[in-house]
Amino acid sequence: MSLGPLMVDIAGTELTADDVRVLSHPLVGSVLLFTRNYRNPGQIADLTASIRAVRTPHLLIAVDHEGGRVQRFREGFTRLPAARLLGRRFDEDRREGLKLAQSVAWLMASELRAVGVDFSFAPCIDLDYGVSEIIGDRAFHSDPDSVAALAVATMTGMRDAGMAAIAKHFPGHGAVVADSHVALPVDRREFADLEPDIRPYRPLIDNNLAGIMAAHVVFPAVDDLPASLSHRWITGVLRGELNFHGCVFADDLTMAGAAAFGDVIERAKLALAAGCDVLPICNSRPSVELVLESLAPNGGGAASQARIVRMRARGETPTDLHANRHWQETAAQIASLSSTPPPLVLTEGQP
């Protein structure tokens, strides 16, 4: 059975019979885990093993675990720094900042791989314009070249641990005040003025970035649809002009930023037509059921299927990480960086 385009969630810390039914559907290809699915490392390892056992080849397993305010698994995991702290270290010492970003990404990916997670939605490469309600300290920096350098280091660290990186939120979420979880952000800049936001994607793509998540942000000068549902943005700009050949994820189709563009079936069809490979539909099992009943069985086609498969974690699963010297040194550096992360402000939901 192939991996379908739908990314779905589950309700609890164990699979139910209904979960198994949904996960067995050929349109489903991946599962997104949340804080509600987590008690401790042993439990989450058992849960991921049970998800893998549902199908062959196994479903991909993802989590939003970038650090700072956005880290779904906490107790038993290293508390990861917010990206802004890595940006500040970069400003103090460029070489050490890049080295730290790579090591933190390796640690993050290694800890997740050790419990059976294929990939995390990281890094966030939106620019810090100082206005976004939802980005804030999730951004590395306000300077696009600094963001690019830190993002490449992060991607390299994740790759060293056998995990693919997913840059978000294309083409940029940092310059709008509204939070696309609860509203529809609109960025009225002309396309030429978006170059600083797009710039960090270029070196990542040149270095074989595996995945990109598209934003539920409307750029009226380019298209009336949000980037996540826009053929102009996904197929025209991202695949055509930027020459990206990896996996494109829509942001969660249940979010308010997408809700203005038809029911969930219409949104799913728009995202596929735009060129997205993976369609997250989370925190609404009725929406999942509607799409499973209505979407064509072949989803995004053979090329899309190949891009999805390449998101699978590679290499041996890490064991006994706490005895690993690299892990010990990186954990000590993280502990010395700062302070307790600020309270989590994202809804229990979407990347």
Side-chain angles (χ1 to χ4, degrees), residues 316-351:
E316 295 182 8
T317 303
T319 58
D320 199 16
L321 270 175
H322 291 196
N324 182 299
R325 184 172 179 179
H326 189 191
W327 182 91
Q328 294 170 353
E329 292 174 349
T330 304
Q333 287 179 295
I334 290 171
S336 67
L337 255 186
S338 90
S339 65
T340 306
L344 184 69
V345 298
L346 278 183
T347 56
E348 165 62 312
Q350 302 85 356

Side-chain angles (χ1 to χ4, degrees), residues 233-248 274-277 307:
W233 274 114
I234 304 302
T235 299
V237 177
L238 184 55
R239 295 217 186 275
E241 296 178 25
L242 298 181
N243 202 31
F244 178 63
H245 299 294
C247 190
V248 178
C276 292
D277 300 296
R307 291 190 288 265

Side-chain angles (χ1 to χ4, degrees), residues 20-267:
V20 172
R21 178 186 62 82
V22 169
L23 299 187
S24 300
H25 196 287
L27 281 173
V28 174
S30 49
V31 178
L32 182 60
L33 298 176
F34 293 95
T35 302
R36 65 174 180 269
N37 303 125
Y38 180 77
R39 288 200 309 264
N40 56 60
Q43 169 271 324
I44 204 68
D46 289 344
L47 178 59
T48 60
S50 67
I51 293 170
R52 291 178 191 282
V54 171
R55 282 167 50 177
T56 302
H58 74 73
L59 296 165
L60 300 180
I61 302 172
V63 66
D64 207 28
H65 201 88
E66 67 193 51
R69 292 176 289 140
V70 186
Q71 181 173 339
R72 302 305 187 203
F73 309 155
R74 298 205 172 207
E75 191 66 33
F77 278 74
T78 303
R79 286 291 187 96
L80 302 170
R84 179 180 287 166
L85 292 177
L86 298 174
R88 289 174 180 168
R89 186 72 184 98
F90 176 86
D91 284 342
E92 294 165 358
D93 185 319
R94 177 185 172 90
R95 181 176 175 276
E96 288 302 315
L98 294 176
K99 183 179 177 182
L100 180 59
Q102 183 171 336
S103 292
V104 169
W106 171 86
L107 181 145
M108 176 270 288
S110 296
E111 290 189 343
L112 290 175
R113 289 213 54 217
V115 297
V117 173
D118 285 291
F119 58 88
S120 171
F121 283 105
C124 177
I125 64 168
D126 300 308
L127 301 188
D128 185 4
Y129 285 98
V131 300
S132 174
E133 294 177 353
I134 196 60
I135 301 304
D137 65 356
R138 298 170 66 191
F140 286 116
H141 211 283
S142 59
D143 173 61
D145 295 321
S146 299
V147 170
L150 287 160
V152 169
T154 297
M155 178 178 69
T156 301
M158 294 173 70
R159 185 178 290 163
D160 289 345
M163 180 177 283
I166 301 172
K168 61 186 184 184
H169 305 80
F170 179 81
H173 202 311
V176 288
V177 175
D179 171 4
S180 58
H181 296 89
V182 297
L184 174 61
V186 178
D187 189 327
R188 300 192 180 280
R189 290 178 293 171
E190 295 296 321
F191 180 74
D193 296 327
L194 300 172
E195 172 56 26
D197 300 76
I198 295 172
R199 194 182 311 164
Y201 288 93
R202 298 180 189 278
L204 287 167
I205 291 169
D206 289 344
N207 283 279
N208 298 314
L209 174 67
I212 287 176
M213 172 174 278
H216 293 325
V217 177
V218 174
F219 301 85
V222 180
D223 195 349
D224 291 335
L225 291 170
S228 53
L229 308 181
S230 166
H231 188 272
R232 167 70 179 124
W233 274 114
I234 304 302
T235 299
V237 177
L238 184 55
R239 295 217 186 275
E241 296 178 25
L242 298 181
N243 202 31
F244 178 63
H245 299 294
C247 190
V248 178
F249 296 75
D251 211 338
D252 194 317
L253 294 179
T254 67
M255 290 164 58
F261 300 92
D263 63 21
V264 69
I265 300 167
E266 183 61 25
R267 287 173 241 159

